[in-house]
Amino acid sequence: MTGTQMVAQTATRAEVCVVACADAFRGDGEILASAFGTIPAIGVRLARHTFSPDLMLTDGEAYLVRGTWPVGGPAVGDVEGWSPFRTVFDLVWHGKRHVMMIPSQVDPFGSTNISAIGDYRAPKVQLLGVRGAPGNTVYHPTSYWVPKHSTRAFVPQVDMVSGVGNDRAAAAGPGASRHHDLRRIVTDLAVFDFQPGTGALRLASVHPGVSVEDVAVATGFPLVIDGDVPVSRLPTAEELQLIREVLDPKSLRDKEVAP
Amino acid sequence: MVDKRMTEAEVVSRLRSGMTIGIGGWGSRRKPMSLVRAILRSDLTDLTVVSYGGPDVGLLCAAGKVRKVVFGFVSLDSIALDPHFRAARQSGSIEVAEYDEGMLQWGLYAAGIRVPFLPTRAGLGSDVMTRNPDLKVVADPYGGDDTVAMPAIHLDAAIVHMNRADIHGNAQFLGPDPYFDDIFCMAAEQAFVSVERIVPTAELTAQAHPATLRINRLVVTGVVEAVGGAHFTSCVPDYDRDEAFQRDYVKAAGDPGTWQAFNDRYLSGSESDYRKAVAARAQEVLA
Protein backbone atom coordinates (compact mmCIF):
# COMPACT_ATOMS: atom_id res chain seq x y z
CA MET A 1 0.00 0.00 0.00
CA THR A 2 1.38 3.41 -0.91
CA GLY A 3 1.38 6.34 1.49
CA THR A 4 -1.32 8.12 -0.49
CA GLN A 5 -3.65 5.15 -0.34
CA MET A 6 -3.11 4.82 3.36
CA VAL A 7 -4.11 8.45 3.89
CA ALA A 8 -7.10 7.95 1.61
CA GLN A 9 -8.40 5.26 3.88
CA THR A 10 -7.90 7.12 7.12
CA ALA A 11 -8.66 10.81 6.50
CA THR A 12 -12.07 11.81 7.84
CA ARG A 13 -14.52 14.06 6.02
CA ALA A 14 -13.68 16.85 8.46
CA GLU A 15 -9.99 16.50 7.60
CA VAL A 16 -10.74 16.67 3.87
CA CYS A 17 -12.70 19.86 4.61
CA VAL A 18 -9.74 21.28 6.56
CA VAL A 19 -7.37 20.99 3.61
CA ALA A 20 -10.05 22.27 1.21
CA CYS A 21 -10.37 25.37 3.41
CA ALA A 22 -6.59 25.65 3.65
CA ASP A 23 -6.27 25.45 -0.13
CA ALA A 24 -8.59 28.44 -0.48
CA PHE A 25 -5.74 30.51 1.03
CA ARG A 26 -2.98 28.98 -1.12
CA GLY A 27 -0.96 31.62 -2.93
CA ASP A 28 -2.51 34.49 -0.97
CA GLY A 29 0.85 35.84 0.17
CA GLU A 30 1.11 38.50 2.85
CA ILE A 31 -2.52 39.20 3.78
CA LEU A 32 -4.76 38.97 6.84
CA ALA A 33 -6.55 35.60 6.76
CA SER A 34 -9.79 35.66 8.77
CA ALA A 35 -11.61 32.39 9.21
CA PHE A 36 -14.92 31.78 10.98
CA GLY A 37 -15.74 28.29 12.23
CA THR A 38 -13.58 25.50 13.59
CA ILE A 39 -12.60 23.79 10.35
CA PRO A 40 -11.66 27.04 8.54
CA ALA A 41 -9.64 28.09 11.63
CA ILE A 42 -7.71 24.82 11.46
CA GLY A 43 -7.39 25.31 7.69
CA VAL A 44 -5.78 28.77 7.79
CA ARG A 45 -3.34 27.64 10.47
CA LEU A 46 -2.44 24.61 8.39
CA ALA A 47 -2.00 26.84 5.32
CA ARG A 48 0.32 29.17 7.21
CA HIS A 49 2.30 26.35 8.79
CA THR A 50 2.89 24.71 5.39
CA PHE A 51 2.33 26.35 1.99
CA SER A 52 1.30 29.95 2.78
CA PRO A 53 3.79 31.04 5.45
CA ASP A 54 3.25 34.79 4.99
CA LEU A 55 -0.40 34.83 6.09
CA MET A 56 -1.23 37.00 9.10
CA LEU A 57 -3.66 35.66 11.71
CA THR A 58 -5.30 37.21 14.74
CA ASP A 59 -5.74 35.66 18.16
CA GLY A 60 -9.50 36.20 17.79
CA GLU A 61 -9.27 39.28 19.96
CA ALA A 62 -7.00 42.18 19.01
CA TYR A 63 -3.50 40.89 18.31
CA LEU A 64 -1.78 39.51 15.23
CA VAL A 65 0.14 36.47 16.38
CA ARG A 66 2.76 34.33 14.65
CA GLY A 67 3.12 30.64 15.35
CA THR A 68 0.99 27.53 15.22
CA TRP A 69 -1.43 26.75 18.02
CA PRO A 70 -4.43 24.48 18.56
CA VAL A 71 -8.04 25.59 18.01
CA GLY A 72 -10.18 26.02 21.10
CA GLY A 73 -7.44 27.59 23.22
CA PRO A 74 -5.46 30.80 23.54
CA ALA A 75 -3.02 31.90 20.83
CA VAL A 76 0.58 30.92 21.48
CA GLY A 77 3.31 32.78 19.65
CA ASP A 78 4.96 36.12 19.06
CA VAL A 79 2.65 39.12 18.85
CA GLU A 80 3.53 40.88 15.60
CA GLY A 81 0.80 43.50 15.46
CA TRP A 82 -2.18 45.18 17.05
CA SER A 83 -5.49 44.66 15.29
CA PRO A 84 -8.39 46.12 17.24
CA PHE A 85 -11.67 46.11 15.33
CA ARG A 86 -11.12 49.51 13.80
CA THR A 87 -7.76 48.39 12.40
CA VAL A 88 -9.43 45.31 10.95
CA PHE A 89 -12.05 47.60 9.38
CA ASP A 90 -9.22 49.63 7.83
CA LEU A 91 -7.58 46.47 6.53
CA VAL A 92 -10.89 45.27 5.04
CA TRP A 93 -11.22 48.46 3.02
CA HIS A 94 -7.49 48.47 2.23
CA GLY A 95 -8.00 45.05 0.66
CA LYS A 96 -5.17 42.87 1.98
CA ARG A 97 -7.50 40.39 3.60
CA HIS A 98 -9.23 37.16 2.67
CA VAL A 99 -12.19 36.16 4.79
CA MET A 100 -13.98 32.83 5.06
CA MET A 101 -17.47 33.37 6.47
CA ILE A 102 -20.30 30.98 7.34
CA PRO A 103 -23.47 31.92 5.45
CA SER A 104 -26.93 30.69 6.41
CA GLN A 105 -28.11 30.98 2.79
CA VAL A 106 -26.22 31.00 -0.54
CA ASP A 107 -27.73 31.70 -3.98
CA PRO A 108 -26.57 30.46 -7.43
CA PHE A 109 -24.26 33.48 -7.94
CA GLY A 110 -22.76 33.52 -4.47
CA SER A 111 -24.92 36.10 -2.73
CA THR A 112 -25.17 35.11 0.93
CA ASN A 113 -27.37 35.86 3.92
CA ILE A 114 -26.35 36.05 7.58
CA SER A 115 -28.99 38.59 8.60
CA ALA A 116 -32.55 37.28 8.72
CA ILE A 117 -34.72 34.52 7.23
CA GLY A 118 -38.21 35.33 5.98
CA ASP A 119 -40.10 38.62 5.90
CA TYR A 120 -37.58 41.31 6.79
CA ARG A 121 -40.03 43.39 8.87
CA ALA A 122 -40.76 40.44 11.17
CA PRO A 123 -38.32 37.68 10.25
CA LYS A 124 -39.12 34.05 10.81
CA VAL A 125 -35.57 33.73 12.14
CA GLN A 126 -33.42 36.68 13.11
CA LEU A 127 -29.73 35.84 12.61
CA LEU A 128 -26.62 37.89 13.45
CA GLY A 129 -27.13 40.82 11.12
CA VAL A 130 -25.13 41.60 7.99
CA ARG A 131 -22.00 42.27 10.09
CA GLY A 132 -19.10 43.02 7.73
CA ALA A 133 -20.34 40.92 4.83
CA PRO A 134 -21.38 43.78 2.51
CA GLY A 135 -18.01 45.47 2.90
CA ASN A 136 -15.91 42.31 2.91
CA THR A 137 -17.33 41.12 -0.39
CA VAL A 138 -16.83 44.36 -2.31
CA TYR A 139 -13.41 45.14 -0.86
CA HIS A 140 -11.37 41.93 -0.75
CA PRO A 141 -11.32 38.18 -1.50
CA THR A 142 -14.12 36.24 0.17
CA SER A 143 -14.71 32.52 0.57
CA TYR A 144 -17.39 30.63 2.46
CA TRP A 145 -17.68 27.57 4.64
CA VAL A 146 -20.99 25.70 4.80
CA PRO A 147 -20.67 22.95 7.42
CA LYS A 148 -24.01 21.38 6.51
CA HIS A 149 -24.69 21.36 2.79
CA SER A 150 -28.47 21.32 2.29
CA THR A 151 -31.32 22.77 0.28
CA ARG A 152 -31.92 25.10 3.23
CA ALA A 153 -28.45 26.59 2.77
CA PHE A 154 -28.26 26.56 -1.04
CA VAL A 155 -31.39 28.37 -2.17
CA PRO A 156 -32.53 29.99 -5.43
CA GLN A 157 -32.77 33.38 -3.72
CA VAL A 158 -31.49 34.53 -0.33
CA ASP A 159 -33.79 36.57 1.91
CA MET A 160 -31.39 39.41 2.77
CA VAL A 161 -28.29 39.84 0.61
CA SER A 162 -25.49 40.39 3.11
CA GLY A 163 -22.50 39.12 1.12
CA VAL A 164 -22.66 40.37 -2.47
CA GLY A 165 -22.76 37.75 -5.24
CA ASN A 166 -21.19 38.01 -8.68
CA ASP A 167 -24.38 39.05 -10.49
CA ARG A 168 -25.22 41.70 -7.91
CA ALA A 169 -21.69 43.13 -7.90
CA ALA A 170 -21.72 43.38 -11.70
CA ALA A 171 -25.16 45.04 -11.69
CA ALA A 172 -24.08 47.57 -9.06
CA GLY A 173 -21.19 48.78 -11.21
CA PRO A 174 -17.46 49.32 -10.72
CA GLY A 175 -17.92 50.73 -7.19
CA ALA A 176 -18.96 47.24 -6.15
CA SER A 177 -17.23 45.05 -8.71
CA ARG A 178 -13.72 46.54 -8.93
CA HIS A 179 -12.37 44.67 -5.89
CA HIS A 180 -15.10 42.04 -5.67
CA ASP A 181 -13.45 38.61 -5.65
CA LEU A 182 -15.40 35.54 -4.57
CA ARG A 183 -13.03 32.59 -4.37
CA ARG A 184 -14.49 29.34 -3.09
CA ILE A 185 -17.28 27.74 -1.15
CA VAL A 186 -16.25 24.70 0.84
CA THR A 187 -19.01 22.48 2.24
CA ASP A 188 -19.11 19.15 4.02
CA LEU A 189 -19.86 17.55 0.65
CA ALA A 190 -17.97 19.48 -1.98
CA VAL A 191 -16.01 22.51 -3.12
CA PHE A 192 -17.40 25.17 -5.44
CA ASP A 193 -15.63 27.85 -7.41
CA PHE A 194 -17.23 30.33 -9.78
CA GLN A 195 -17.65 29.92 -13.53
CA PRO A 196 -15.72 32.56 -15.50
CA GLY A 197 -18.08 34.74 -17.53
CA THR A 198 -21.38 33.84 -15.86
CA GLY A 199 -20.14 34.10 -12.27
CA ALA A 200 -22.28 31.10 -11.33
CA LEU A 201 -21.34 28.68 -8.57
CA ARG A 202 -19.60 25.75 -10.22
CA LEU A 203 -18.95 22.37 -8.70
CA ALA A 204 -15.14 22.17 -8.45
CA SER A 205 -14.77 18.87 -6.60
CA VAL A 206 -16.70 16.38 -4.51
CA HIS A 207 -15.28 14.97 -1.31
CA PRO A 208 -14.25 11.29 -1.24
CA GLY A 209 -17.37 9.13 -0.85
CA VAL A 210 -19.71 11.83 -2.17
CA SER A 211 -21.27 11.64 -5.64
CA VAL A 212 -22.24 14.53 -7.88
CA GLU A 213 -25.82 13.30 -7.45
CA ASP A 214 -25.51 13.61 -3.66
CA VAL A 215 -24.50 17.25 -4.08
CA ALA A 216 -27.28 17.92 -6.59
CA VAL A 217 -29.91 16.55 -4.21
CA ALA A 218 -28.62 18.75 -1.38
CA THR A 219 -28.54 21.91 -3.50
CA GLY A 220 -31.70 23.96 -4.03
CA PHE A 221 -30.88 24.99 -7.59
CA PRO A 222 -29.38 23.26 -10.64
CA LEU A 223 -25.65 22.57 -10.39
CA VAL A 224 -23.29 24.12 -12.89
CA ILE A 225 -20.71 21.54 -13.93
CA ASP A 226 -17.92 22.01 -16.48
CA GLY A 227 -16.61 18.61 -17.57
CA ASP A 228 -15.58 15.88 -15.18
CA VAL A 229 -15.78 16.70 -11.48
CA PRO A 230 -12.65 15.60 -9.65
CA VAL A 231 -12.54 14.22 -6.12
CA SER A 232 -11.35 16.72 -3.49
CA ARG A 233 -7.73 16.17 -2.58
CA LEU A 234 -6.78 14.24 0.52
CA PRO A 235 -4.58 15.57 3.27
CA THR A 236 -0.96 14.50 2.98
CA ALA A 237 0.48 12.39 5.76
CA GLU A 238 2.27 15.48 7.07
CA GLU A 239 -0.94 17.54 7.01
CA LEU A 240 -2.88 14.81 8.75
CA GLN A 241 -0.32 14.63 11.51
CA LEU A 242 -0.37 18.40 11.86
CA ILE A 243 -4.18 18.45 12.13
CA ARG A 244 -4.41 15.60 14.60
CA GLU A 245 -1.44 16.26 16.84
CA VAL A 246 -0.92 20.01 16.72
CA LEU A 247 -3.86 22.01 15.37
CA ASP A 248 -6.80 20.05 16.76
CA PRO A 249 -5.73 17.40 19.25
CA LYS A 250 -9.18 17.52 20.90
CA SER A 251 -10.93 16.72 17.58
CA LEU A 252 -13.19 19.77 17.75
CA ARG A 253 -13.46 19.43 13.96
CA ASP A 254 -15.64 16.36 14.44
CA LYS A 255 -18.26 18.51 16.16
CA GLU A 256 -18.58 20.60 13.02
CA VAL A 257 -18.51 17.70 10.54
CA ALA A 258 -19.17 14.28 12.01
CA PRO A 259 -16.51 11.67 11.19
CA MET B 1 -11.50 72.31 36.01
CA VAL B 2 -14.95 70.80 36.09
CA ASP B 3 -15.63 67.81 38.28
CA LYS B 4 -17.91 65.74 36.05
CA ARG B 5 -18.67 62.95 38.48
CA MET B 6 -22.29 61.88 38.56
CA THR B 7 -24.43 58.86 39.33
CA GLU B 8 -26.24 56.60 36.90
CA ALA B 9 -29.51 58.24 37.99
CA GLU B 10 -28.13 61.70 37.16
CA VAL B 11 -27.15 60.46 33.70
CA VAL B 12 -30.64 59.10 33.12
CA SER B 13 -32.17 62.39 34.30
CA ARG B 14 -30.46 64.05 31.34
CA LEU B 15 -31.98 61.64 28.83
CA ARG B 16 -35.43 61.98 27.27
CA SER B 17 -37.84 59.59 25.64
CA GLY B 18 -37.47 59.53 21.88
CA MET B 19 -33.72 60.23 21.95
CA THR B 20 -31.12 58.52 19.78
CA ILE B 21 -28.61 56.90 22.12
CA GLY B 22 -25.31 55.33 21.09
CA ILE B 23 -23.94 52.54 23.26
CA GLY B 24 -20.21 51.72 23.21
CA GLY B 25 -18.46 48.36 23.50
CA TRP B 26 -18.82 45.47 21.10
CA GLY B 27 -21.11 42.43 21.34
CA SER B 28 -20.82 41.21 24.90
CA ARG B 29 -17.66 43.19 25.60
CA ARG B 30 -17.23 46.31 27.79
CA LYS B 31 -20.83 47.43 27.60
CA PRO B 32 -22.00 50.24 29.94
CA MET B 33 -24.39 47.84 31.62
CA SER B 34 -24.96 49.79 34.85
CA LEU B 35 -26.14 52.72 32.73
CA VAL B 36 -28.30 50.37 30.66
CA ARG B 37 -29.78 48.98 33.88
CA ALA B 38 -30.50 52.54 35.04
CA ILE B 39 -32.38 53.12 31.78
CA LEU B 40 -34.31 49.89 32.38
CA ARG B 41 -35.44 51.30 35.77
CA SER B 42 -36.46 54.65 34.25
CA ASP B 43 -39.63 55.64 32.44
CA LEU B 44 -37.67 56.45 29.27
CA THR B 45 -39.18 54.95 26.15
CA ASP B 46 -39.28 55.22 22.36
CA LEU B 47 -35.47 55.19 22.12
CA THR B 48 -33.41 54.75 18.98
CA VAL B 49 -30.40 52.65 19.97
CA VAL B 50 -27.18 52.68 17.94
CA SER B 51 -24.86 49.84 18.89
CA TYR B 52 -22.37 47.16 17.96
CA GLY B 53 -25.01 45.20 19.73
CA GLY B 54 -24.92 42.79 22.62
CA PRO B 55 -27.06 42.29 25.72
CA ASP B 56 -27.48 46.08 25.96
CA VAL B 57 -29.77 45.91 22.95
CA GLY B 58 -31.46 42.74 24.18
CA LEU B 59 -32.26 44.10 27.64
CA LEU B 60 -33.58 47.40 26.31
CA CYS B 61 -35.78 45.56 23.81
CA ALA B 62 -37.07 43.23 26.53
CA ALA B 63 -38.03 46.22 28.68
CA GLY B 64 -39.94 47.87 25.84
CA LYS B 65 -37.63 50.87 25.71
CA VAL B 66 -36.77 50.64 22.03
CA ARG B 67 -38.48 52.04 18.97
CA LYS B 68 -35.61 51.42 16.56
CA VAL B 69 -32.23 49.70 16.51
CA VAL B 70 -29.41 50.93 14.28
CA PHE B 71 -27.00 48.03 14.03
CA GLY B 72 -24.68 45.78 12.05
CA PHE B 73 -25.10 42.76 14.32
CA VAL B 74 -26.38 41.81 17.75
CA SER B 75 -24.42 39.00 19.38
CA LEU B 76 -23.33 37.73 22.77
CA ASP B 77 -20.01 36.49 21.30
CA SER B 78 -19.72 33.16 23.13
CA ILE B 79 -23.44 32.70 22.43
CA ALA B 80 -24.16 33.73 18.87
CA LEU B 81 -27.52 35.47 19.24
CA ASP B 82 -29.30 37.59 21.83
CA PRO B 83 -32.70 36.05 22.56
CA HIS B 84 -34.54 39.30 23.33
CA PHE B 85 -33.36 41.06 20.20
CA ARG B 86 -34.41 38.00 18.21
CA ALA B 87 -37.83 38.01 19.83
CA ALA B 88 -38.28 41.74 19.23
CA ARG B 89 -37.32 41.37 15.57
CA GLN B 90 -39.35 38.24 14.98
CA SER B 91 -42.47 39.82 16.47
CA GLY B 92 -41.95 42.89 14.28
CA SER B 93 -42.17 45.14 17.34
CA ILE B 94 -39.10 47.26 16.54
CA GLU B 95 -37.88 49.18 13.53
CA VAL B 96 -34.34 48.63 12.32
CA ALA B 97 -31.68 50.31 10.24
CA GLU B 98 -29.19 47.58 9.44
CA TYR B 99 -25.79 48.57 8.11
CA ASP B 100 -22.49 46.91 7.36
CA GLU B 101 -20.43 47.34 10.56
CA GLY B 102 -17.93 49.55 8.73
CA MET B 103 -20.77 51.75 7.47
CA LEU B 104 -21.89 52.15 11.07
CA GLN B 105 -18.43 53.36 12.05
CA TRP B 106 -18.45 55.72 9.07
CA GLY B 107 -21.84 57.18 10.04
CA LEU B 108 -20.72 57.85 13.60
CA TYR B 109 -17.40 59.24 12.43
CA ALA B 110 -19.14 61.56 9.93
CA ALA B 111 -21.25 62.92 12.80
CA GLY B 112 -18.14 63.34 14.95
CA ILE B 113 -16.20 65.30 12.33
CA ARG B 114 -19.24 67.28 11.18
CA VAL B 115 -19.58 66.21 7.57
CA PRO B 116 -22.95 65.16 6.13
CA PHE B 117 -21.72 61.80 4.88
CA LEU B 118 -18.64 59.74 4.14
CA PRO B 119 -18.16 57.66 1.00
CA THR B 120 -17.63 53.92 1.01
CA ARG B 121 -18.00 50.95 -1.30
CA ALA B 122 -19.51 48.93 1.56
CA GLY B 123 -23.22 48.36 1.03
CA LEU B 124 -23.14 48.49 -2.78
CA GLY B 125 -24.83 45.47 -4.31
CA SER B 126 -26.23 44.27 -0.97
CA ASP B 127 -29.73 44.48 0.49
CA VAL B 128 -28.45 47.08 2.94
CA MET B 129 -29.27 49.43 0.07
CA THR B 130 -32.76 48.06 -0.53
CA ARG B 131 -33.65 47.89 3.18
CA ASN B 132 -32.43 51.44 3.76
CA PRO B 133 -33.95 53.18 0.73
CA ASP B 134 -32.79 56.57 1.98
CA LEU B 135 -29.17 55.62 1.30
CA LYS B 136 -27.80 57.41 -1.73
CA VAL B 137 -25.15 56.33 -4.18
CA VAL B 138 -23.04 59.28 -5.29
CA ALA B 139 -20.79 59.92 -8.25
CA ASP B 140 -17.13 60.68 -7.61
CA PRO B 141 -16.67 64.37 -8.51
CA TYR B 142 -13.13 63.42 -9.59
CA GLY B 143 -14.26 60.72 -12.02
CA GLY B 144 -13.69 57.51 -10.07
CA ASP B 145 -16.17 54.88 -8.95
CA ASP B 146 -19.59 55.57 -7.47
CA THR B 147 -19.81 55.04 -3.72
CA VAL B 148 -22.43 54.95 -0.99
CA ALA B 149 -22.83 58.27 0.82
CA MET B 150 -23.13 56.94 4.36
CA PRO B 151 -25.03 59.66 6.25
CA ALA B 152 -23.84 60.99 9.60
CA ILE B 153 -25.48 59.25 12.57
CA HIS B 154 -26.03 62.03 15.08
CA LEU B 155 -26.48 60.88 18.67
CA ASP B 156 -28.38 62.78 21.31
CA ALA B 157 -26.33 60.89 23.87
CA ALA B 158 -23.60 58.28 24.04
CA ILE B 159 -22.98 55.91 26.93
CA VAL B 160 -19.72 53.95 27.12
CA HIS B 161 -17.81 51.99 29.76
CA MET B 162 -14.03 52.28 30.13
CA ASN B 163 -11.54 50.92 32.65
CA ARG B 164 -10.36 54.18 34.28
CA ALA B 165 -10.98 57.91 34.14
CA ASP B 166 -10.23 61.03 36.10
CA ILE B 167 -12.98 63.25 37.49
CA HIS B 168 -12.77 65.48 34.41
CA GLY B 169 -13.62 62.77 31.90
CA ASN B 170 -10.25 61.72 30.51
CA ALA B 171 -10.96 58.03 30.05
CA GLN B 172 -8.75 55.02 29.52
CA PHE B 173 -9.08 51.52 28.10
CA LEU B 174 -6.72 48.90 29.52
CA GLY B 175 -7.90 45.89 27.52
CA PRO B 176 -6.78 44.91 24.03
CA ASP B 177 -9.37 46.91 22.06
CA PRO B 178 -10.73 50.45 22.40
CA TYR B 179 -13.71 49.41 20.24
CA PHE B 180 -15.40 52.58 18.91
CA ASP B 181 -16.15 54.29 22.20
CA ASP B 182 -14.32 57.53 21.41
CA ILE B 183 -16.17 57.80 18.09
CA PHE B 184 -19.51 57.30 19.86
CA CYS B 185 -18.60 60.15 22.23
CA MET B 186 -17.59 62.45 19.36
CA ALA B 187 -20.87 61.76 17.54
CA ALA B 188 -22.98 62.70 20.57
CA GLU B 189 -24.42 65.92 21.98
CA GLN B 190 -23.79 64.52 25.45
CA ALA B 191 -21.40 61.67 26.28
CA PHE B 192 -21.42 59.76 29.54
CA VAL B 193 -18.52 57.52 30.51
CA SER B 194 -18.81 54.94 33.25
CA VAL B 195 -15.57 53.43 34.55
CA GLU B 196 -14.41 50.76 36.93
CA ARG B 197 -12.43 53.30 38.92
CA ILE B 198 -12.00 57.07 38.98
CA VAL B 199 -8.38 57.88 39.76
CA PRO B 200 -6.19 61.01 40.00
CA THR B 201 -5.10 62.15 36.54
CA ALA B 202 -1.42 61.34 37.14
CA GLU B 203 -2.29 57.78 38.01
CA LEU B 204 -3.75 57.13 34.54
CA THR B 205 -0.33 57.10 32.91
CA ALA B 206 1.73 55.85 35.87
CA GLN B 207 1.68 52.31 34.44
CA ALA B 208 0.04 52.67 31.05
CA HIS B 209 1.02 54.33 27.77
CA PRO B 210 -0.78 57.65 27.11
CA ALA B 211 -2.23 56.09 23.93
CA THR B 212 -4.63 54.23 26.24
CA LEU B 213 -6.28 57.59 27.06
CA ARG B 214 -8.63 57.14 24.14
CA ILE B 215 -11.34 59.55 25.28
CA ASN B 216 -10.51 63.18 26.07
CA ARG B 217 -12.49 65.24 28.56
CA LEU B 218 -13.54 67.75 25.90
CA VAL B 219 -16.09 65.27 24.54
CA VAL B 220 -17.31 64.03 27.92
CA THR B 221 -20.35 65.37 29.80
CA GLY B 222 -20.32 63.08 32.81
CA VAL B 223 -18.22 60.40 34.50
CA VAL B 224 -19.76 57.64 36.59
CA GLU B 225 -17.76 55.39 38.86
CA ALA B 226 -19.34 51.98 38.33
CA VAL B 227 -17.49 49.05 39.83
CA GLY B 228 -18.53 46.00 37.84
CA GLY B 229 -20.39 48.41 35.59
CA ALA B 230 -19.90 46.22 32.52
CA HIS B 231 -21.14 43.01 34.18
CA PHE B 232 -22.01 40.49 32.72
CA THR B 233 -20.04 41.57 29.67
CA SER B 234 -16.25 41.51 29.72
CA CYS B 235 -14.11 44.37 30.97
CA VAL B 236 -10.58 43.03 30.72
CA PRO B 237 -8.19 43.29 32.45
CA ASP B 238 -10.53 44.12 35.34
CA TYR B 239 -12.71 41.05 34.73
CA ASP B 240 -13.76 38.58 32.05
CA ARG B 241 -17.28 38.02 30.80
CA ASP B 242 -19.42 36.22 33.39
CA GLU B 243 -20.18 33.31 31.06
CA ALA B 244 -22.30 31.43 33.59
CA PHE B 245 -24.44 34.49 34.21
CA GLN B 246 -24.76 35.12 30.49
CA ARG B 247 -25.98 31.55 30.04
CA ASP B 248 -28.57 32.17 32.78
CA TYR B 249 -29.65 35.34 30.99
CA VAL B 250 -30.19 33.45 27.74
CA LYS B 251 -31.93 30.57 29.45
CA ALA B 252 -34.24 32.88 31.39
CA ALA B 253 -35.22 34.69 28.20
CA GLY B 254 -36.66 31.49 26.77
CA ASP B 255 -39.94 31.78 28.64
CA PRO B 256 -41.98 34.73 30.04
CA GLY B 257 -42.18 33.14 33.49
CA THR B 258 -38.47 32.51 33.87
CA TRP B 259 -37.73 35.95 32.45
CA GLN B 260 -40.02 37.56 35.01
CA ALA B 261 -38.17 35.68 37.76
CA PHE B 262 -34.79 36.81 36.36
CA ASN B 263 -36.07 40.35 36.15
CA ASP B 264 -37.39 40.26 39.73
CA ARG B 265 -34.17 38.82 41.06
CA TYR B 266 -31.65 41.00 39.25
CA LEU B 267 -33.21 44.00 37.57
CA SER B 268 -36.02 45.22 39.80
CA GLY B 269 -33.86 47.00 42.38
CA SER B 270 -30.91 49.41 42.45
CA GLU B 271 -27.45 48.81 41.01
CA SER B 272 -26.29 47.90 44.49
CA ASP B 273 -29.14 45.37 44.72
CA TYR B 274 -27.97 43.98 41.36
CA ARG B 275 -24.43 43.53 42.65
CA LYS B 276 -25.71 41.80 45.78
CA ALA B 277 -27.91 39.47 43.74
CA VAL B 278 -24.99 38.61 41.45
CA ALA B 279 -22.75 37.93 44.46
CA ALA B 280 -25.45 35.78 46.05
CA ARG B 281 -25.78 33.79 42.85
CA ALA B 282 -22.03 33.20 42.75
CA GLN B 283 -22.19 31.93 46.35
CA GLU B 284 -25.00 29.53 45.44
CA VAL B 285 -22.98 28.16 42.54
CA LEU B 286 -20.01 27.59 44.84
CA ALA B 287 -22.10 25.96 47.56
Side-chain angles (χ1 to χ4, degrees), chain B residues 110-131:
Chain B
I113 61 172
R114 301 187 297 173
V115 292
F117 67 87
L118 284 168
T120 175
R121 297 177 192 273
L124 289 173
S126 78
D127 277 337
V128 165
M129 304 305 292
T130 47
R131 299 301 179 190

Side-chain angles (χ1 to χ4, degrees), chain A residues 146-230:
Chain A
V146 179
K148 192 166 171 43
H149 192 135
S150 74
T151 51
R152 287 170 55 143
F154 288 89
V155 294
Q157 196 175 355
V158 306
D159 294 329
M160 169 77 181
V161 174
S162 314
V164 179
N166 287 316
D167 54 341
R168 305 264 305 209
S177 64
R178 188 174 302 282
H179 305 296
H180 185 264
D181 185 3
L182 300 187
R183 296 279 179 85
R184 285 187 203 183
I185 301 178
V186 179
T187 82
D188 60 334
L189 300 182
V191 179
F192 292 90
D193 60 8
F194 295 89
Q195 191 177 43
T198 67
L201 254 75
R202 177 174 69 176
L203 191 58
S205 70
V206 289
H207 298 335
V210 178
S211 69
V212 171
E213 180 59 23
D214 294 334
V215 180
V217 166
T219 305
F221 47 81
L223 290 179
V224 172
I225 297 170
D226 286 340
D228 291 336
V229 179

Side-chain angles (χ1 to χ4, degrees), chain A:
Chain A
M1 190 189 288
T2 68
T4 307
Q5 285 167 328
M6 190 180 73
V7 171
Q9 284 171 8
T10 60
T12 64
R13 181 68 58 77
E15 288 159 349
V16 170
C17 293
V18 167
V19 295
C21 289
D23 282 343
F25 293 86
R26 192 183 285 271
D28 274 1
E30 205 163 36
I31 56 127
L32 177 63
S34 300
F36 292 89
T38 302
I39 284 174
I42 301 168
V44 290
R45 290 174 207 186
L46 182 142
R48 178 162 74 170
H49 190 84
T50 56
F51 50 76
S52 289
D54 293 331
L55 294 177
M56 299 185 84
L57 303 180
T58 78
D59 64 347
E61 199 65 43
Y63 298 113
L64 297 162
V65 182
R66 256 184 238 166
T68 302
W69 62 87
V71 288
V76 180
D78 293 337
V79 172
E80 61 171 331
W82 185 42
S83 58
F85 284 115
R86 73 179 70 186
T87 300
V88 174
F89 287 14
D90 289 346
L91 287 173
V92 168
W93 292 6
H94 177 69
K96 285 195 178 158
R97 180 175 187 246
H98 180 174
V99 71
M100 183 172 267
M101 295 184 285
I102 304 178
S104 298
Q105 293 180 319
V106 185
D107 85 3
F109 294 93
S111 282
T112 56
N113 178 15
I114 55 172
S115 165
I117 306 284
D119 174 13
Y120 187 73
R121 285 160 302 176
K124 183 160 169 264
V125 183
Q126 172 65 38
L127 305 169
L128 270 182
V130 295
R131 280 216 62 177
N136 291 341
T137 44
V138 299
Y139 272 106
H140 63 58
T142 300
S143 294
Y144 292 104
W145 162 237
V146 179
K148 192 166 171 43
H149 192 135
S150 74
T151 51
R152 287 170 55 143
F154 288 89
V155 294
Q157 196 175 355
V158 306
D159 294 329
M160 169 77 181
V161 174
S162 314
V164 179
N166 287 316
D167 54 341
R168 305 264 305 209
S177 64
R178 188 174 302 282
H179 305 296
H180 185 264
D181 185 3
L182 300 187
R183 296 279 179 85
R184 285 187 203 183
I185 301 178
V186 179
T187 82
D188 60 334
L189 300 182
V191 179
F192 292 90
D193 60 8
F194 295 89
Q195 191 177 43
T198 67
L201 254 75
R202 177 174 69 176
L203 191 58
S205 70
V206 289
H207 298 335
V210 178
S211 69
V212 171
E213 180 59 23
D214 294 334
V215 180
V217 166
T219 305
F221 47 81
L223 290 179
V224 172
I225 297 170
D226 286 340
D228 291 336
V229 179
V231 175
S232 307
R233 85 167 175 93
L234 294 164
T236 66
E238 184 210 354
E239 287 171 336
L240 216 46
Q241 189 180 14
L242 186 62
I243 294 167
R244 292 175 179 179
E245 294 175 14
V246 180
L247 294 173
D248 186 23
K250 292 180 186 159
S251 296
L252 299 177
R253 62 193 177 280
D254 294 343
K255 291 183 180 162
E256 210 166 46
V257 173

